[in-house]
Structure formats: C-alpha cells, structure tokens
Amino acid sequence: MQVNNQDNSNSKNSSIKVESVMSPDSDKLKSIIDAGDLEQAAQVIRELQISRDQTIFQEVGRLTRALHNAIRNFHIDLDSDGKEKDKNDLSSMVDASDRLGYVVDLTEKAANKTMDLVDECIPMTDQAREELSILQSDWSRLGDRDMSADEFRGLYKRVDQFFKSQDLNYSALQSNLTNILLAQDYQDLTGQVIQGVTSLVRDVENSLIDLVKMASHVDSITGYQVDIETDVEVIDEDAHLRGHGPQIKKDESVVASQDDVDDLLSSLGF
Amino acid sequence: MKILVVDDFSTMRRIVKNLLRDLGFTNTQEADDGSTAWPMLESGNFDFVVTDWNMPNMTGIELLQKIRSSDRLKDTPVLMVTAEAKRDQIVAAAQAGVNGYVVKPFTAAALKEKIEKIFERVDASK
C-alpha cells in the first residue's frame, strides 16, 4: 500500500539529472558572460529554461501517476471522468464506516439483550426473596412451637410449592445467565472488525505520508519552499469545553479514577 | 422526584434509568442530547438532571451553562456522568456549576453516593 519505491528512486534520479544538466550549463554561462558574448549567453539561458521546464513536466507526469496510485491505495476508485464508480463498487472507506456502524449496532444489541435478561431475572429473585422471608418467619414460629396443626399443614403445602416454584425459577435464571454469557460474543465479532478498520487507517496514513513526501518534492523542484514542520499549532481555547470521549492514554492531565475526581472537586471547594 | 437522563447512547440511558429505579426514582424521562433536553426542561418541571458530556448538537457542558443562565432553571441540580476525564474538563464543569461528577465506567455505588450527596445539599439549602 505504498507508493512504490521505484517512483521514489526515480524522483531522486530526476533531481540528480536536472542538477547534472544545469551545473555544467551554468559554468558555461559564466565563462560566456565573462567573455562578453551576450547573444550566446541568452541562448544558454534559454536552454537552461527549457531543460528546467522539461524536468518539471516529467516530474509532474511522474507525480500524477504516483498520486493516482496513492488514491487507488485509498480504495477510492475513480472512473476516467473522475466520478466515483457506482454504489456496487464502494470504496474501503465507505466499507470501513459501514463496518464501524455494524460494531455500534452489535454492541447496542448485546447491551440491550443483556439488560433485557437482567430485567427478567430481577423480579424472579425479588419474588423468591419475599416468599423466602415469609416462610422463614413461619418456620421459626414452628421452631418455637408457636403454630397450630392446621397452620402447620398450610406451611407444609407452601414449602412444597416453594420448592417446586424455585426449581422452575432456578432453571429460568440459569438459562438467562447462559444467554447473558452468549450475548458477550459481540466482543469477538466487533474486535475482528475493528482490527480490520485499524489496519486500513494505518495504510491510509502511510499513503498520506507518501503524498506529503511527493508534494515536498514538487516544491523542491519548482523552487517553492514550504517548511512542513513549522505549521503553526492552532491554540484552541475552548478545547476543555469540547467532549473528547474516553481517554485511552492516561497521563497527568487525566484523572485515573472516581476518587481522583472527588479529590479534585473537593480541592475546588465541593 | 422527576429526573431527566440525557445521553446520546440509549444503552447508557437505560443503565442510568435502571440504577435510578433501584434507588427508588421511578419518574424518569430521556433525551438524546442537550438540544432535545432543553425544550423538555423548559416545559416540564424536572427536579434533577443527569447528563453525559460528549453528545452531538448540544453537549452536556453547554446544557449545564444554559440551565445555570436561565432564571427558572438555574437551581436545578445537575449530575454529570461522563467518560470525559481530563482535569481541565472537571474544573470547567465545576466552574459552570455542576453539582456532581461521575466518570464512566462507574459503579452503582458511586452513582448512589453522588446522588444522595446532591440531595442532602439541596435539602440543607432549603
């Protein structure tokens, strides 16, 4: 996915070539001017101009090809008239955003499925706990011999029913727990998709670096100087008001835990 | 107690709502960002706002600033529940008048503690 090395070595060759053509010419020009032959000097200048122009044309041609390769490496296929091809032949970029959309869908579904199952479990455990506490208090009354024979028969029946209902309850809970476990399979699927998109982003970055290198080469042969490194960093005063999403890299500008947040807020008088 | 839960992710709204329900707060409504939340706050009488920070259209901090600059709503307690964990941001939220700040991922206990603390203060100031 890189602009091939042959192109890069060609570009070096062409700049060497232009220098090798120009430097003897300029020596020649100097001696002609020293000799006072202005007509001849003008002729040499014209030749120099032509060889410079030719080098630029060749270079532009080479860069156009390299640019085309770089664009193709983005997987954005262009027809000869420059329009994007039809939707059946979508670029990797479109595909990547579709795939990330799929990750969002899948994680949302898994989260909702898990929460649905938990929502089902909570009333089951609530109900079991309620029944259990009633039975427990009756059971201790039985222990204290504070119960009539009729009441005891009733308790016996209720305990029997409780055992039966709990048997069903536990199988339902178990099946929900298994389904919660299974709902976590999204991690595998989304992980693979994200890895694919990450490698695409890396490839695009490499292609962009190649484009920047090419652009600086154009600048150097046309004599137009731009120092890429001196790009002024824009100071964004509202940066702290915008959302950044989760902090992946933790440094001292980022709090490590809720305790840190609490400490910071209490230092501010909260 | 009527609570508005503002988050652009429906699953997070659901988690917060469930936790609030466990804490005994059943009257909750949802908004998916600040710009949806604002008209709801203006027309409904909410007692408490739980909001995320990073949302499309209007962020949580903008919503907080808007609430604090409104005569009618300025005293509504606002709890920020967010993945934003930069010190600058927490300071900015404090300056904007947030009542509590919980970083995601959070525990049910942390949310409970902050909410209880907020209501203690609100009751004390009454």
Side-chain angles (χ1 to χ4, degrees), chain A residues 209-222:
Chain A
I209 290 170
D210 288 331
L211 273 181
V212 171
K213 281 185 193 152
M214 269 187 273
S216 67
H217 187 63
V218 173
D219 293 343
S220 77
I221 62 159
T222 53

Side-chain angles (χ1 to χ4, degrees), chain B residues 9-78:
Chain B
F9 278 88
S10 64
T11 47
M12 192 44 79
R13 290 200 299 271
R14 196 172 159 188
I15 290 170
V16 172
K17 275 184 76 170
N18 282 8
L19 290 172
L20 288 171
R21 192 195 55 210
D22 286 351
L23 296 174
F25 303 110
T26 48
N27 189 4
T28 48
Q29 285 190 29
E30 300 177 30
D32 60 5
D33 85 319
S35 55
T36 334
W38 183 247
M40 293 173 78
L41 286 168
E42 275 192 312
S43 58
N45 42 338
F46 286 94
D47 303 294
F48 183 41
V49 178
V50 179
T51 181
D52 183 24
W53 183 311
N54 193 10
M55 295 178 291
N57 302 319
M58 195 198 290
T59 63
I61 190 86
E62 286 165 338
L63 179 65
L64 172 63
Q65 287 164 341
K66 226 171 148 108
I67 290 171
R68 290 292 173 257
S69 59
S70 149
D71 276 342
R72 198 174 75 80
L73 297 168
K74 65 177 190 297
D75 295 324
T76 312
V78 176

Side-chain angles (χ1 to χ4, degrees), chain A residues 116 244-245 253 255 258 262 270, chain B residues 14 84-85 87 101 103 114:
Chain A
D116 285 342
H244 303 278
S253 72
V255 294
Q258 183 65 42
D262 296 348
F270 264 71
Chain B
R14 196 172 159 188
E84 304 301 325
R87 287 175 189 279
Y101 200 103
V103 282
K114 301 305 159 212

Side-chain angles (χ1 to χ4, degrees), chain A residues 68-90:
Chain A
H68 191 239
N69 282 341
I71 290 173
R72 274 182 45 194
N73 287 343
F74 280 11
H75 295 266
I76 301 166
D77 290 321
L78 300 175
D79 277 339
S80 50
D81 59 356
K83 279 189 196 147
E84 262 185 76
K85 280 189 187 166
D86 72 64
K87 299 97 209 155
N88 298 328
D89 192 17
L90 292 173

Side-chain angles (χ1 to χ4, degrees), chain A residues 4-6 8 18 23 34 43 46 53 58 73 83 98 107-108 122 136 156 167 181 195 222 226 235 245 249 263:
Chain A
N4 56 44
N5 292 327
Q6 206 189 335
N8 284 339
V18 78
S23 63
D34 286 346
Q43 175 65 29
R46 262 198 302 279
D53 285 352
Q58 278 169 12
N73 287 343
K83 279 189 196 147
D98 282 351
T107 49
E108 187 181 342
I122 289 173
Q136 238 169 357
Y156 179 85
D167 194 35
L181 197 70
Q195 276 168 352
T222 53
V226 179
I235 295 163
K249 284 183 183 157
D263 288 348

